[in-house]
Amino acid sequence: MTTITRTHLIAQLKAHAVAHYNEGGWDNLVECYSDGEIDGDLTAAKITTLPEAIAYYADILGAHDEIRQDIEGEAF
């Protein structure tokens, strides 16, 4: 797999999040995560490719989205 810069990886991940904004909690990454936070997460998890980054955040954001949906469901 081609090595890309961390800045480019973060930009690609954010583009993916924007493209999937209304799905699986990706709006949370767009609205709540700074580039520095994303960089720290990717570094800690030793993630170097876009597919790895998407899978990593899909799990986290999906869990947060489920909780959000539960809370929203209780409001009505």
Side-chain angles (χ1 to χ4, degrees), residues 5-19:
T5 67
R6 180 71 66 183
T7 302
H8 190 75
L9 177 58
I10 292 168
Q12 287 183 323
L13 179 64
K14 289 172 80 175
H16 174 85
V18 169

Side-chain angles (χ1 to χ4, degrees), residues 30-50:
V30 172
E31 302 292 339
C32 301
Y33 285 75
S34 70
D35 288 2
E37 289 171 311
I38 295 169
D39 184 43
D41 289 346
L42 297 178
T43 299
K46 298 180 180 168
I47 291 171
T48 59
T49 68
L50 183 60

Side-chain angles (χ1 to χ4, degrees), residues 2-3 7 11 17 19-21 26 30 32 38 43 51 55 57 62-63 67 72-73:
T2 303
T3 302
T7 302
H20 297 277
Y21 189 87
W26 285 101
V30 172
C32 301
I38 295 169
T43 299
Y57 276 106
I67 293 167
E72 288 173 351

Side-chain angles (χ1 to χ4, degrees), residues 49-69:
T49 68
L50 183 60
E52 291 173 332
I54 290 170
Y56 175 81
Y57 276 106
D59 287 342
I60 293 168
L61 298 172
H64 289 165
D65 196 47
E66 286 181 27
I67 293 167
R68 176 176 53 189
Q69 289 177 15

